[in-house]
């Protein structure tokens, strides 16, 4: 036993023995997300029944041809890019609830087949989604790597082998020395220590969670007193660098609870998510607290909204769910309308109604009574909403802002009327100056 040592599985109770001639290896699927791959032939009857049970928790007497419905969901994937529509031929849709389950079944199928047919003895195999931590004899790494890649030509693995007895895995740095494995927190070389700054326009709860999360990770990952102490000192310097004072750091540092402690905090009956407005959002949280309603704050504007656009923008007139405005060419009259379709389709209907003299159409009736021309070319989208009741409210709001609206709309509550009154007075003053 001199050349053997024992290690503990990460987040597991059982122990595994392996020889010190073996090296720890980090395997990663070449595709960033395994859910990009999908093959109906991979699912055997037993795996399909597992999938069937996952999506049928009440054991309803559903027909077995639900497999056909599943096939339709996974193969009928369309997307738009650069103004053109495409069909995805391989892989499952990103964001689809069933994609995660399919990906896990496919990955289990591959690893079970690979481990049951390999010639090497693998004492350790830990997988998290598409990242795997394992131990292999150093002279068998290439052979085992090739064996993994032979399981499926569409899913290929890359590898990282320990260097100087160290190997990063997820956010852990695993050290292999003195016949033992030690873990501490791992940070990439590009890490900048930039956190949510104390002066940033964010809820205090988000700032407190930043400290609590990082200190909790240190307590979970660091497996020795010395490494935990070094990590806590490093975190304190980082928190100070991001303008947190010592008292705030001390109050929000994570403190582990024992299993015997009970949580007397009542479970919230519901959660309300509201945009964060400094001063107002905190008051709303305090008002709702006695009613056992938890309030979650979200930022009004994020860097992702400002800097990225992952989808093609629709032309304003082709966007679904719009509140629009049509002006008269010969007077100040205007028409505010809403539609769940796009503006191009709705304008075609208005033009047809005007040509036919449809008395139920307000634009057509205005044209018939006054013989005024309608300025179709200047029709514009004011705002968008896919919710019908929101569109009705927005239509009423913009209609009440007009001086001579052609259309009728629903009545707005008194606070809205006061705001509209103030806005109209301000606009009148601007026009007279």
């Amino acid at each position: 036993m001199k050349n053997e040592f024992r290690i503990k599985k990460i987040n597991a109770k059982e122990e595994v023995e392996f020889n010190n001639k073996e090296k720890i290896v980090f395997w990663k699927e070449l595709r960033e997300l395994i859910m990009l791959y999908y093959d109906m032939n991979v699912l055997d009857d037993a795996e399909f029944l597992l999938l069937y049970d996952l999506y049928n928790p009440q054991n309803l007497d559903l027909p077995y041809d639900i497999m056909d419905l599943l096939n339709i969901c996974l193969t009928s994937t369309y997307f738009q890019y650069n103004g053109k529509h495409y069909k995805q031929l391989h892989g499952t849709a990103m964001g689809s609830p069933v994609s995660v389950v399919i990906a896990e079944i496919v990955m289990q199928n591959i690893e079970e087949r690979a481990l049951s047919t390999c010639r090497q003895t693998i004492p350790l195999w830990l997988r998290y989604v598409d990242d795997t931590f394992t131990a292999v004899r150093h002279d068998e790494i290439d052979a085992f790597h090739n064996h993994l890649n032979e399981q499926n030509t569409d899913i290929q693995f890359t590898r990282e082998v320990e260097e100087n007895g160290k190997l990063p895995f997820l956010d852990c740095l695993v050290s292999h020395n003195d016949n033992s494995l030690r873990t501490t927190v791992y940070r990439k070389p590009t890490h900048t220590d930039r956190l949510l700054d104390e002066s940033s326009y964010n809820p205090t709860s988000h700032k407190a969670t930043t400290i609590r999360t990082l200190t909790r990770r240190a307590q979970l990952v660091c497996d020795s007193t010395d490494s935990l102490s070094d990590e806590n000192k490093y975190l304190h310097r980082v928190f100070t660098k991001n303008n947190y004072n010592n008292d705030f750091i001390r109050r929000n540092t994570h403190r582990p609870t024992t299993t015997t402690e009970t949580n007397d905090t009542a479970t919230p009956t519901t959660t309300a998510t509201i945009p964060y407005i400094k001063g107002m959002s905190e008051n709303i949280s305090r008002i709702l607290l006695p009613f056992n309603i938890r309030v979650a704050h979200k930022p009004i504007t994020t860097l992702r909204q400002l800097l990225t656009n992952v989808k093609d923008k629709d032309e304003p007139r082709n966007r679904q769910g719009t509140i629009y405005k049509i002006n008269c060419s010969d007077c100040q009259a205007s028409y505010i309308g809403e539609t769940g379709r796009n503006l191009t389709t709705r304008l075609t209907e208005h033009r047809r109604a005007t040509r036919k003299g449809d008395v139920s159409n307000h634009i057509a009736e205005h044209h018939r009574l006054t013989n005024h021309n309608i300025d179709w070319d200047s029709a514009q989208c004011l705002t968008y909403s896919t919710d019908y009741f929101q569109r009705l409210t927005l239509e009423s709001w913009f209609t009440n802002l007009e001086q001579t609206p052609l259309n009728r709309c629903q009545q707005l509550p008194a606070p809205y009327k006061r705001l509209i009154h103030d806005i109209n007075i301000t606009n009148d003053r601007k026009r007279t100056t």
Side-chain angles (χ1 to χ4, degrees), residues 296-309:
H297 305 290
K298 65 177 182 179
I300 299 176
T301 304
T302 63
L303 288 177
R304 180 176 182 179
Q305 294 172 346
L306 296 175
L307 302 179
T308 65
N309 181 27

mmCIF file of all heavy atoms in Angstrom, residues 296-309:
data_model
loop_
_atom_site.group_PDB
_atom_site.id
_atom_site.type_symbol
_atom_site.label_atom_id
_atom_site.label_comp_id
_atom_site.label_asym_id
_atom_site.label_seq_id
_atom_site.Cartn_x
_atom_site.Cartn_y
_atom_site.Cartn_z
ATOM 1 N N ALA A 296 -37.904 40.791 -5.284
ATOM 2 C CA ALA A 296 -36.634 40.646 -6.008
ATOM 3 C C ALA A 296 -36.448 41.852 -6.907
ATOM 4 O O ALA A 296 -37.370 42.245 -7.636
ATOM 5 C CB ALA A 296 -36.626 39.356 -6.829
ATOM 6 N N HIS A 297 -35.278 42.453 -6.839
ATOM 7 C CA HIS A 297 -34.998 43.647 -7.628
ATOM 8 C C HIS A 297 -34.229 43.272 -8.894
ATOM 9 O O HIS A 297 -33.358 42.403 -8.871
ATOM 10 C CB HIS A 297 -34.175 44.654 -6.820
ATOM 11 C CG HIS A 297 -34.796 45.032 -5.518
ATOM 12 N ND1 HIS A 297 -35.938 45.791 -5.429
ATOM 13 C CD2 HIS A 297 -34.449 44.734 -4.241
ATOM 14 C CE1 HIS A 297 -36.259 45.967 -4.164
ATOM 15 N NE2 HIS A 297 -35.372 45.334 -3.416
ATOM 16 N N LYS A 298 -34.544 43.933 -9.977
ATOM 17 C CA LYS A 298 -33.796 43.738 -11.209
ATOM 18 C C LYS A 298 -33.387 45.099 -11.753
ATOM 19 O O LYS A 298 -34.109 46.090 -11.604
ATOM 20 C CB LYS A 298 -34.639 42.990 -12.251
ATOM 21 C CG LYS A 298 -35.862 43.745 -12.738
ATOM 22 C CD LYS A 298 -36.584 42.957 -13.823
ATOM 23 C CE LYS A 298 -37.793 43.736 -14.349
ATOM 24 N NZ LYS A 298 -38.505 42.997 -15.419
ATOM 25 N N PRO A 299 -32.222 45.187 -12.367
ATOM 26 C CA PRO A 299 -31.771 46.484 -12.897
ATOM 27 C C PRO A 299 -32.616 46.921 -14.084
ATOM 28 O O PRO A 299 -33.095 46.095 -14.870
ATOM 29 C CB PRO A 299 -30.320 46.212 -13.312
ATOM 30 C CG PRO A 299 -30.260 44.735 -13.534
ATOM 31 C CD PRO A 299 -31.233 44.123 -12.559
ATOM 32 N N ILE A 300 -32.800 48.213 -14.205
ATOM 33 C CA ILE A 300 -33.580 48.748 -15.315
ATOM 34 C C ILE A 300 -32.817 48.601 -16.628
ATOM 35 O O ILE A 300 -33.373 48.213 -17.652
ATOM 36 C CB ILE A 300 -33.931 50.229 -15.054
ATOM 37 C CG1 ILE A 300 -34.768 50.357 -13.774
ATOM 38 C CG2 ILE A 300 -34.673 50.828 -16.233
ATOM 39 C CD1 ILE A 300 -35.084 51.788 -13.388
ATOM 40 N N THR A 301 -31.526 48.899 -16.592
ATOM 41 C CA THR A 301 -30.678 48.803 -17.784
ATOM 42 C C THR A 301 -29.432 48.004 -17.439
ATOM 43 O O THR A 301 -28.819 48.230 -16.398
ATOM 44 C CB THR A 301 -30.274 50.200 -18.281
ATOM 45 O OG1 THR A 301 -31.449 50.974 -18.510
ATOM 46 C CG2 THR A 301 -29.491 50.108 -19.579
ATOM 47 N N THR A 302 -29.060 47.080 -18.312
ATOM 48 C CA THR A 302 -27.866 46.276 -18.101
ATOM 49 C C THR A 302 -26.891 46.482 -19.255
ATOM 50 O O THR A 302 -27.262 46.952 -20.341
ATOM 51 C CB THR A 302 -28.225 44.781 -18.010
ATOM 52 O OG1 THR A 302 -28.795 44.354 -19.260
ATOM 53 C CG2 THR A 302 -29.235 44.541 -16.890
ATOM 54 N N LEU A 303 -25.639 46.112 -19.015
ATOM 55 C CA LEU A 303 -24.634 46.220 -20.079
ATOM 56 C C LEU A 303 -24.977 45.307 -21.243
ATOM 57 O O LEU A 303 -24.690 45.629 -22.403
ATOM 58 C CB LEU A 303 -23.253 45.855 -19.523
ATOM 59 C CG LEU A 303 -22.620 46.878 -18.586
ATOM 60 C CD1 LEU A 303 -21.295 46.351 -18.050
ATOM 61 C CD2 LEU A 303 -22.403 48.203 -19.300
ATOM 62 N N ARG A 304 -25.598 44.174 -20.946
ATOM 63 C CA ARG A 304 -25.978 43.259 -22.022
ATOM 64 C C ARG A 304 -26.994 43.915 -22.949
ATOM 65 O O ARG A 304 -26.925 43.768 -24.171
ATOM 66 C CB ARG A 304 -26.546 41.984 -21.435
ATOM 67 C CG ARG A 304 -26.959 40.967 -22.508
ATOM 68 C CD ARG A 304 -27.437 39.682 -21.897
ATOM 69 N NE ARG A 304 -27.780 38.714 -22.934
ATOM 70 C CZ ARG A 304 -28.224 37.481 -22.700
ATOM 71 N NH1 ARG A 304 -28.355 37.076 -21.462
ATOM 72 N NH2 ARG A 304 -28.519 36.670 -23.689
ATOM 73 N N GLN A 305 -27.942 44.654 -22.366
ATOM 74 C CA GLN A 305 -28.930 45.328 -23.199
ATOM 75 C C GLN A 305 -28.283 46.413 -24.053
ATOM 76 O O GLN A 305 -28.690 46.645 -25.192
ATOM 77 C CB GLN A 305 -30.014 45.945 -22.315
ATOM 78 C CG GLN A 305 -30.856 44.914 -21.566
ATOM 79 C CD GLN A 305 -31.788 45.572 -20.569
ATOM 80 O OE1 GLN A 305 -31.644 46.744 -20.240
ATOM 81 N NE2 GLN A 305 -32.748 44.802 -20.061
ATOM 82 N N LEU A 306 -27.258 47.062 -23.512
ATOM 83 C CA LEU A 306 -26.641 48.175 -24.221
ATOM 84 C C LEU A 306 -25.634 47.721 -25.270
ATOM 85 O O LEU A 306 -25.498 48.352 -26.325
ATOM 86 C CB LEU A 306 -25.940 49.105 -23.219
ATOM 87 C CG LEU A 306 -26.834 49.825 -22.200
ATOM 88 C CD1 LEU A 306 -25.976 50.594 -21.219
ATOM 89 C CD2 LEU A 306 -27.809 50.763 -22.892
ATOM 90 N N LEU A 307 -24.923 46.621 -25.002
ATOM 91 C CA LEU A 307 -23.787 46.249 -25.838
ATOM 92 C C LEU A 307 -24.037 45.083 -26.755
ATOM 93 O O LEU A 307 -23.308 44.894 -27.731
ATOM 94 C CB LEU A 307 -22.575 45.937 -24.945
ATOM 95 C CG LEU A 307 -22.110 47.060 -24.017
ATOM 96 C CD1 LEU A 307 -20.930 46.595 -23.178
ATOM 97 C CD2 LEU A 307 -21.737 48.307 -24.807
ATOM 98 N N THR A 308 -25.023 44.242 -26.460
ATOM 99 C CA THR A 308 -25.218 43.040 -27.267
ATOM 100 C C THR A 308 -26.611 43.010 -27.868
ATOM 101 O O THR A 308 -27.556 43.579 -27.337
ATOM 102 C CB THR A 308 -25.016 41.774 -26.417
ATOM 103 O OG1 THR A 308 -26.033 41.712 -25.403
ATOM 104 C CG2 THR A 308 -23.654 41.758 -25.772
ATOM 105 N N ASN A 309 -26.697 42.318 -28.977
ATOM 106 C CA ASN A 309 -27.973 42.078 -29.629
ATOM 107 C C ASN A 309 -27.875 40.725 -30.324
ATOM 108 O O ASN A 309 -27.328 40.607 -31.420
ATOM 109 C CB ASN A 309 -28.293 43.182 -30.645
ATOM 110 C CG ASN A 309 -29.637 42.959 -31.317
ATOM 111 O OD1 ASN A 309 -30.530 42.335 -30.750
ATOM 112 N ND2 ASN A 309 -29.790 43.466 -32.523
#
